[in-house]
Structures are given as C-alpha cells and as structure tokens.
Amino acid sequence: MRQTARLGRLAGIPIGVHWSVLVIMLLLVQGLASVILPGGARGYPAAVYWGVAVIVAVLFLAALLAHELAHALVARHYGVRVRAITLWLLGGVSELDGEAPHARADLLIALAGPVVSLVGAGVFAAAAAGASASGAGPLAVTGLGWLAVVNAILGVFNLLPGAPLDGGRVLAAVLWWVRGDRAGARRAAGRAGTVLGGLLIAAGLVEVLLAANFGGLWLVVLGWFLALSAHAETTHVMLRKALAGVRVGDVMTTPAVCGYTSQSIADFVATVARRHPHRVFPVLDLDGRLVGLVSINRLAKVPRTDRERVRLGEVSAPVDRAHVLDPAAPLIDTAPALLAGGHRLAPVVTDGRLTGIMTSGDVARATELAELGITPDRGGGAATTSGSHAPADPAR
C-alpha cells in the first residue's frame, strides 16, 4: 500500500500512513467526544471531551502500530526483510519482502500482532483500574477502559481463521506444519477468508434490514474487504505455483503493436488503434527506440479537426511514467499488477528498444498453459499468436 505521508522510522523500519487514516481518526474522535466519553463521564465541557478524544484516538493508532511492529520485528528475526509499515483505514499493513523459512516462523510471525494487542488490552485495563483506584476521575477511566476493550476486540478479531487476517495466517502455518504443503495451506486459508467475509456481509445485512441498525454497514464493508483480499491472496498463491520459473520474455506478445512519433493521430487510429484490442500503445521514434506511451483516451481529447496535423510524439506520455519490463524478469513479479489492472499494458524493453508488450491476457494465457503442465515460450519472437501484430509502418 502506498504511503501518503512518512512518519519516520522505528527499529530501522519506515513508518507511514495512508490518507484514509484521516477518515478513521475523524470517526473515532467524533464517536469518543460525542458518545463514549460523555456516557462514561458526565459534566465536562465539550472542549474537554474533544481534547481527550484526540489523545485516546492517537493512543489507539499507537496500539495499531505496535501490533504491526510486532509482526515486522519477528519477521526480521527470521530473516524476512521488512520494507515498510503503513497505517490505513482498516488497520495496518506490514510489507514483508520474502517468505518465512519454515512453518514455525510463519506461525510466530502471524501470532505476534494479536499477542501484542491482547497484552495491550491488559495494560490499558490495568491502567484504567489504577486510575479508578487513585481517584484520577471518570474521564481517564472511561478513555483507558475503551482502549482496553478495543485492543481486546482487535486481538480476538484478528485471530479469526481466514486470510488476510492474522488468524488466517495462523491457520495456513498450522496446515503447512501438518501437511508440508505451503501453497495448499495458503489456498485453504484463502478459501476460509472468503467464507468469513461472506458471513460478515450477511451479518451486516441482517443487522441493517431486520434491526434497522445502519452500523451493520461497517460489517458489510469489512466483510467485502476480507472476501476480496482473501480472493486476491488465493490468486497470488496459484499464480506463484503456476508461473514458477516463467520469464516475461516467455510470455510477452511479439512483435509489438505500436505507433511512431512522426505518425499522425488520424493515421494511427485508422491503421492501428481501431484494429487491436489495447487501450494503451507504445510509441517509438524513427530509430525504433521506446519514447513513450499513448492511450486511446488521450487521443480522444484531441479535436477531430486537428488529428491529421497532430503527431503521436506530441501527445504521448514520457516513457519514465511507464511500467517498463525486462524480458528476463520473473513473470510472478509482474502478473498481479497486470491482472488487477484488467486492460493494463506494459512495454518490454531491451537496451532501450521495444522487444514486446505484456498484457493481462498474456498473463492469463500463461497461467492456463502452466496449469496444463505446459511452459509457455514465446521469447525471441519465434512464435506468435492471433494477438501478436507487426509494428506500424513509420512511413505512413
């Protein structure tokens, strides 16, 4: 997940937040200041409730960060590199670069976060009890008690057995330990996560429709997110197994469909864009070097009367904005992004020259062939399919 703002580093790990954290912060502060704190501690001015609510919300985000940091530190202990930790609307994400070396490590990495959340719940509960015993006032007791309850819920909820929750990773680690099949264990956790997401959606809809409680919409949103994430994880596991050892050059479409900087928009649309299914096309200079990309949407913004005059080189996006691939790169590192993009296209380049193009269709075909036990091999342009076309003539 892309960070909107970088907060710094903890234990050498980059820490950041996604813009959606602002949404959850506003909702938390509003709920605490308007409902939770006044309900547990009456008689304070509104400004006091709002001030304490901000402090409690910040402590809650700190608890989320501690949860993710626990995952990250245990992962690093077992040799797994941690790229970053990002806090967002529905919690936090520890971006791990690599796999746990064995099932025991996978289990401990997964358990670390919920354990820290449950320990945090105990610490906040003890602090609330201490505040009450010392006469610190009902406002402090209410805030600390809320933090204890929320951390307990966070720890228990994350232990539910379905990916992408920590409990799903615990389930996958246990199944891997028992069966010795990492990929199969992760597929099972992904299926469990899909079922769990569906149950949460159903529970939310029941709450909305039968109890007329629109708070159930949060369950619907959460269930929808879990189901989508579980499906994505299952797909990634299947891709990694099916595409192991396959390179971008084995799968790319070649020769590539492309345009040229000197070609008019009208000619390019008539001879290339209208005949091929892509929405984005590479643009080459007259020496055959990749200089940019052009989309149909971008071409459509040029007035019809100017399309004979305007050249592709004038409207193409610079190549430094493109996701350029190396034919020797492992396909599994590229496949998820292309599949998620639907009609995404990425140029494949060697020494600045266009070697081919990669689309989600190329990835899907390679996956289907791999499932048949066939290794795709279209590197070097020796073979083509009905989706491969020769470059446009630059003289046109």
Side-chain angles (χ1 to χ4, degrees):
M1 177 175 294
R2 181 169 297 182
Q3 296 180 349
T4 305
R6 180 71 62 84
L7 301 181
R9 289 177 176 268
L10 276 177
I13 301 169
I15 308 296
V17 295
H18 186 259
W19 64 265
S20 59
V21 163
L22 180 61
V23 176
I24 193 63
M25 280 290 287
L26 291 173
L27 291 174
L28 282 176
V29 170
Q30 194 276 334
L32 285 163
S34 302
V35 180
I36 304 297
L37 296 176
R42 299 181 182 279
Y44 290 88
V48 173
Y49 288 129
W50 283 93
V52 173
V54 170
I55 295 172
V56 172
V58 170
L59 288 174
F60 172 70
L61 287 184
L64 283 180
L65 178 57
H67 177 111
E68 293 303 326
L69 191 61
H71 287 307
L73 292 178
V74 176
R76 196 164 65 179
H77 172 76
Y78 284 105
V80 181
R81 178 174 169 268
V82 183
R83 292 197 298 269
I85 293 175
T86 305
L87 300 178
W88 72 299
L89 177 65
L90 295 179
V93 176
S94 297
E95 300 175 38
L96 307 183
D97 188 7
E99 301 280 358
H102 45 72
R104 181 173 177 271
D106 216 20
L107 177 63
L108 294 177
I109 292 170
L111 284 173
V115 167
V116 165
S117 291
L118 293 174
V119 169
V123 170
F124 283 121
S132 178
S134 65
L139 199 57
V141 174
T142 302
L144 291 169
W146 182 85
L147 286 168
V149 171
V150 169
N151 274 273
I153 292 173
L154 179 65
V156 172
F157 179 77
N158 267 283
L159 285 173
L160 293 177
L165 297 175
D166 296 330
R169 304 191 192 286
V170 169
L171 174 63
V174 171
L175 291 176
W176 177 18
W177 201 333
V178 172
R179 300 176 181 175
D181 179 3
R182 174 187 292 194
R186 291 188 173 176
R187 285 197 299 272
R191 289 192 293 269
T194 302
V195 172
L196 178 61
L199 291 174
L200 288 175
I201 292 172
L205 290 175
V206 167
E207 188 173 351
V208 171
L209 298 176
L210 298 185
N213 182 359
F214 288 94
L217 291 176
W218 278 107
L219 281 179
V220 173
V221 171
L222 185 57
W224 174 76
F225 167 75
L226 288 179
L228 283 184
S229 299
H231 176 72
E233 289 204 11
T234 303
T235 300
H236 182 71
V237 171
M238 294 174 64
L239 283 174
R240 182 167 291 279
K241 181 178 181 180
L243 301 179
V246 179
R247 302 169 303 140
V248 167
D250 299 327
V251 176
M252 65 184 182
T253 295
T254 181
V257 181
C258 62
Y260 290 86
T261 53
S262 59
Q263 194 173 12
S264 71
I265 291 177
D267 180 66
F268 175 76
V269 170
T271 60
V272 179
R274 68 179 297 188
R275 298 181 179 181
H276 303 307
H278 309 308
R279 297 167 61 190
V280 179
F281 298 85
V283 178
L284 313 183
D285 62 19
L286 291 180
D287 293 326
R289 303 186 73 85
L290 178 69
V291 296
L293 295 177
V294 68
S295 67
I296 293 177
N297 182 55
R298 194 180 185 97
L299 296 178
K301 294 179 181 179
V302 178
R304 188 181 298 271
T305 54
D306 294 337
R307 293 175 190 171
E308 288 284 355
R309 176 183 58 82
V310 178
R311 306 294 165 179
L312 286 188
E314 300 175 51
V315 296
S316 61
V319 70
D320 58 6
R321 298 183 188 175
H323 184 196
V324 178
L325 304 179
D326 185 324
L331 182 61
I332 189 59
D333 293 340
T334 302
L338 282 173
L339 287 176
H343 295 284
R344 287 279 300 277
L345 176 146
V348 184
V349 174
T350 303
D351 297 327
R353 296 189 178 276
L354 188 67
T355 305
I357 56 173
M358 273 276 296
T359 68
S360 57
D362 294 322
V363 176
R365 176 180 180 276
T367 304
E368 291 166 2
L369 287 175
E371 289 172 351
L372 290 172
I374 300 171
T375 302
D377 184 4
R378 281 154 55 179
T384 62
T385 70
S386 59
S388 302
H389 312 280
D393 184 352
R396 291 184 176 183

